[in-house]
Amino acid sequence: MSSVPGNMAEGRGFYRALVFRRQAILVGIVAALFLSTCADLALGPARYSLGEVFAALFTPDAVDVQARVILWEIRMPVALMALTVGASLAVAGAQMQTILSNPLASPFTLGISAGASFGAALALAFGVVLVPAAVDYVIPINAFVMAMLTSFLIHTLSMRRGVTIETIVLLGIAMVFVFNSLMALIQFFADQQAVSAVVFWTMGSLTKATWTKLWISTGVLALVLPLLARHGWALTAMRLGDAKAESMGVNPKALRLEVLVLVSVLAAIAVCFVGTIGFIGLVGPHVARILVGEDQRFFLPGAALCGALLLSVGSVLSKMILPGTIIPIGIVTSLVGIPFFLYLILNKKSSTW
Amino acid sequence: MVGLQLDRLTARYGSEEILREVTTPRFPGGQVVGLLGPNAAGKSTLFRRIFGLLKGGGAVCVDGAESSRPIVYMPQDTGANAALTVYESVLLARMQGRRLKVSDEDLDRVDATLAELGISEIAKRELGNLSGGQRQMVGAAQALVQQPEILLLDEPTAALDLNRQIGFLALLKRIARDRGMLILVALHDLGHALRFTDQAMLLQSGRLVDCGPTASVITSDTLWRVYGVKARIEPCSRGVPQLIVEMPD
C-alpha cells in the first residue's frame, strides 16, 4: 500500500482526458442538432435545399417572401419545439431515473403522460374545461392540470410512512393503467369524430406547435435546468444509494421531493403541448448515460441534448418515411429509436443497472 | 487534537428503542476504537446517531476539531451501480457542498487517497464492474478523501480477503497515529480487534456492555455473556493475545 508517484499523475491525466472527451461528445451532439434542425426546416410539402435554409436563417431579407414565411413562421416553431420538448422529456426522465434509482422511470411510466392524455381527452370528447382559458389553450391546460394532479397524487402517496422508492414507480404504473381505463371509457361514450381527435392527440404531434407555445416551454426549461444543475454533485451522489448520499451530506428525501416537483412541471408542459411522446423520456437519458456517464455536470446537458436530437431526428424521419405525409412523431420515435437503443444497450461494456 | 465523547446517547425507530443511554469516556485522536457486538446490537444505529442522521436524546461531544464538519461516516456498501468510474466516485465524495468546478488540488487529493489505499490501478474502472472487496476499498477512499478528523467505518473489512483486511487495518492504525485522527470501526472479527484497535466498545441490544482498552473488553467472560461463545484469550508464542474458540458441545 505504498504510494506510487507515477500512478498519481496518471490518475489526474486520466480524469482530465475523460472530461475533455465528454465535452467533445457534447459539442458533437450540438453540431448534429444544428444539422438535424436544418434538415427539419428543409423538409416538407415544399422542399428547400440546405443552401436555401442557411440563406433564410442568416440573411432572411435576401430570400423570397414565400420561403421566408414557410421557414420562419410555419416550420421554425415546429423544428424548435422538437428540440425543447425532446430536451424537457429527456431531462425529466433522467432525473426521475436518478432520484428513484430505477431505469424504467420516465414521464411516461410515472403516469404523467397518461394523465395529460386524459385531461386532453376530457376537453376533446366532452368539452370539459378544468380551468377557464382562451380557446386555443383549453386542451393544453386541461392536459397540464391532469398531469400535475397525477404527480401531486404520487408525491402525496409517496410521503406516507413505509413507502419506498420502488413503490413510487409501482404507483406510477398503477396510474398509467387507471388513466388507460378512463381513456377507454371516454372513447366508448364519445362520438366517432371526438374519438379520432383523442386518438390523434395521444399519438403526439409537433404540428401543434406555435411560437407562443414554444416560448412557454422553452422558458420553463430555461428556469428548471439551472435549478437542477445547482444540485449537480448531490444528484450524482443519489446514484450511489441513499445511505452513501446521506453519508456525503445529502438529504435524499428533501432532494427527491424538490426534483420530483421540478421535473413534473417540465414533463407536464412538454406533454400538454405536443401529446404523448413516450420513448424520448425513457431512452434519451440512457443514451446520454452511455455516452457521457452519470456525473451530472455532463449527464444533465447530455440528457437534454440527446433528447433534443432524438426528437429532431424523429421529426425529420416522420416527413421522409411517406413523402407528403407527416406521420405522428410519437409513432416514429419509438419505431426508429428502438433498434438504435437496442444496439447501444447490448453493446455497452459496463454493467450499469 | 480532536476528541469524542458520548453522553447518554439514545435513538429510536418509531416506538422501538435502539440505543439505550450509551455513555463513553473521551476517545482522543490518534486512536483506533473498535465497535463490537453481535448482529443487530445497534452498531450501525450508533454510527448514524453520532453522525447526526438519527435524532435522539443525549449528546455527541466533539472537542478540538479544526474543520466545521469533522465527522465522516462510511456506511456498509449497498452495491449501487452508477455509470461512474472509481476516480469520479471518489472525487464526488470530496466535491459535495462545493462549487461545480473541480480544481487541481481536488484531483491531487483523489490521487493521493487512491494511492494510499493501493487502489490506483482500478481508478479507471466503472463502479458496476468491481468485486465486493474493491467496492469496499472505494468506499474507504470516499470517506478518507473528505479528510475527516473523526472517521466512522461500518464493517469496512467484511468483503476483503485476508491480505487486504490486515493491510487495511494496519493502514487505519498508521493514519490515525500520523494524522491524529480518531477512527471508530465496527468489526466482527475479534482477533483483528485485539490486534489493531487501541480501545473497544462492546454493544448488546443497544446497551454499552463494556468500554476500555481492547484487551480488557474482550475476555472469556464478556464473550460468553454477549456472544454466547466459550473462548479463551491466550498469548501466542510471541506474547500476542489470541482468541481461541472452543467447539460448542
Side-chain angles (χ1 to χ4, degrees):
Chain A
M1 296 209 177
S2 61
S3 64
V4 185
N7 276 355
M8 285 190 53
E10 198 191 329
R12 186 163 132 182
F14 156 73
Y15 182 74
R16 290 289 185 211
L18 193 69
V19 167
F20 179 77
R21 199 178 73 214
R22 288 179 179 167
Q23 287 167 339
I25 289 173
L26 293 182
V27 170
I29 303 175
V30 171
L33 263 182
F34 179 72
L35 289 178
S36 154
T37 306
C38 289
D40 201 2
L41 289 172
L43 288 172
R47 293 207 170 198
Y48 296 98
S49 69
L50 279 183
E52 286 169 300
V53 172
F54 284 138
L57 280 182
F58 299 113
T59 53
D61 297 328
V63 294
D64 67 81
V65 178
Q66 191 205 1
R68 198 166 68 218
V69 169
I70 288 180
L71 289 174
W72 277 97
E73 298 304 320
I74 299 173
R75 292 193 192 163
M76 189 65 92
V78 175
L80 294 182
M81 197 70 174
L83 306 186
T84 301
V85 167
S88 299
L89 290 174
V91 166
Q95 302 307 14
M96 286 171 179
Q97 290 169 9
T98 300
I99 57 174
L100 299 177
S101 287
N102 194 312
L104 289 176
S106 78
F108 188 77
T109 43
L110 283 188
I112 292 177
S113 300
S117 295
F118 176 66
L122 279 179
L124 289 164
F126 305 128
V128 176
V129 176
L130 297 173
V131 178
V135 181
D136 277 359
Y137 288 90
V138 164
I139 294 166
I141 288 178
N142 260 25
F144 181 77
V145 168
M146 281 311 297
M148 288 310 293
L149 281 179
T150 309
S151 67
F152 180 73
L153 185 66
I154 291 177
H155 296 162
T156 313
L157 291 172
S158 70
M159 296 302 281
R160 288 166 61 105
R161 269 182 81 93
V163 173
T164 63
I165 51 177
E166 290 84 1
T167 324
I168 298 179
V169 178
L170 287 177
L171 282 173
I173 298 207
M175 299 303 291
V176 172
F177 282 102
V178 168
F179 283 122
N180 282 350
S181 303
L182 290 173
M183 288 290 282
L185 202 61
I186 287 181
Q187 292 179 25
F188 181 74
F189 284 113
D191 61 56
Q192 200 57 46
Q193 210 182 346
V195 168
S196 309
V198 169
V199 169
F200 183 73
W201 196 93
T202 55
M203 283 174 181
S205 169
L206 291 167
T207 52
K208 299 166 187 138
T210 63
W211 278 108
T212 316
K213 291 174 182 174
L214 176 67
W215 287 127
I216 295 172
S217 45
T218 308
V220 171
L221 181 64
L223 278 178
V224 170
L225 278 182
L227 292 176
L228 292 172
R230 202 165 48 102
H231 293 302
W233 293 119
L235 279 167
T236 312
M238 289 290 278
R239 285 289 287 116
L240 301 178
D242 278 15
K244 264 283 164 62
E246 274 181 331
S247 79
M248 294 180 182
V250 178
N251 181 343
K253 280 196 176 132
L255 185 62
R256 190 170 284 133
L257 185 65
E258 180 184 340
V259 171
L260 214 47
V261 170
L262 286 174
V263 298
S264 297
V265 174
L266 199 58
I269 283 283
V271 172
C272 82
F273 285 141
V274 300
T276 313
I277 301 176
F279 183 75
I280 306 288
L282 181 67
V283 170
H286 285 292
V287 175
R289 188 174 286 118
I290 291 165
L291 290 176
V292 298
E294 280 189 284
D295 179 338
Q296 288 268 340
R297 292 173 306 146
F298 307 104
F299 183 49
L300 180 62
L305 292 172
C306 285
L309 184 61
L310 283 172
L311 200 53
S312 183
V313 169
S315 171
V316 170
L317 292 175
S318 72
K319 298 179 193 174
M320 287 173 70
I321 293 173
L322 280 178
T325 310
I326 301 178
I327 299 174
I329 185 92
I331 301 175
V332 176
T333 48
S334 305
L335 285 182
V336 179
I338 281 173
F340 170 63
F341 180 56
L342 287 179
Y343 168 79
L344 277 179
I345 55 171
L346 295 177
N347 277 292
K348 67 179 179 159
K349 294 180 211 81
S350 66
S351 54
T352 312
W353 305 108
Chain B
M1 209 185 291
V2 72
L4 174 75
Q5 199 235 321
L6 308 180
D7 183 24
R8 285 167 294 163
L9 219 52
T10 63
R12 47 176 65 239
Y13 285 130
S15 59
E16 199 185 349
E17 204 168 33
I18 311 284
L19 288 181
R20 299 162 204 229
E21 305 224 333
V22 173
T23 299
T24 68
R26 178 180 181 275
F27 297 118
Q31 289 200 351
V32 177
V33 178
L35 178 55
L36 315 175
N39 294 328
K43 299 191 291 292
S44 298
T45 306
L46 180 60
F47 277 161
R48 290 172 63 81
R49 177 69 185 85
I50 295 174
F51 186 63
L53 294 175
L54 286 175
K55 300 270 180 286
V60 177
C61 310
V62 177
D63 62 87
E66 286 168 16
S67 72
S68 55
R69 271 189 61 206
I71 306 179
V72 168
Y73 162 57
M74 183 194 115
Q76 290 180 40
D77 195 271
T78 47
N81 290 347
L84 293 170
T85 59
V86 167
Y87 197 94
E88 290 174 283
S89 77
V90 176
L91 179 66
L92 174 65
R94 177 173 169 87
M95 297 308 293
Q96 288 304 326
R98 295 175 194 238
R99 294 168 299 131
L100 286 177
K101 183 132 180 65
V102 174
S103 71
D104 278 346
E105 192 201 337
D106 296 320
L107 298 183
D108 286 344
R109 182 110 304 279
V110 173
D111 274 323
T113 306
L114 292 174
E116 185 166 51
L117 289 168
I119 53 173
S120 293
E121 72 276 12
I122 60 167
K124 302 174 190 179
R125 298 265 291 275
E126 290 220 347
L127 291 182
N129 297 345
L130 298 179
S131 72
Q134 287 169 329
R135 285 172 165 282
Q136 211 146 35
M137 294 303 282
V138 172
Q142 287 167 340
L144 281 172
V145 81
Q146 299 177 56
Q147 297 179 290
E149 294 175 66
I150 297 171
L151 179 56
L152 315 176
L153 297 169
D154 202 347
E155 294 190 30
T157 56
L160 301 182
D161 63 36
L162 186 59
N163 179 298
R164 287 280 188 185
Q165 287 179 32
I166 305 290
F168 182 71
L169 290 169
L171 176 71
L172 288 187
K173 212 170 158 77
R174 198 173 69 232
I175 289 176
R177 201 183 50 225
D178 293 352
R179 299 181 197 166
M181 194 189 294
L182 172 62
I183 300 179
L184 268 61
V185 52
L187 288 174
H188 272 306
D189 189 321
L190 301 181
H192 286 345
L194 278 169
R195 200 69 184 272
F196 293 102
T197 62
D198 302 293
Q199 299 198 60
M201 301 165 68
L202 184 57
L203 273 185
Q204 184 183 27
S205 310
R207 218 180 296 260
L208 191 65
V209 178
D210 201 357
C211 181
T214 309
S216 75
V217 171
I218 301 178
T219 62
S220 295
D221 177 51
T222 52
L223 286 174
W224 176 245
R225 272 196 298 135
V226 174
Y227 289 92
V229 171
K230 281 185 183 159
R232 292 166 285 145
I233 317 292
E234 288 181 2
C236 70
S237 57
R238 292 185 180 174
V240 180
Q242 301 288 337
L243 180 73
I244 300 155
V245 177
E246 286 168 26
M247 288 297 284
D249 303 324

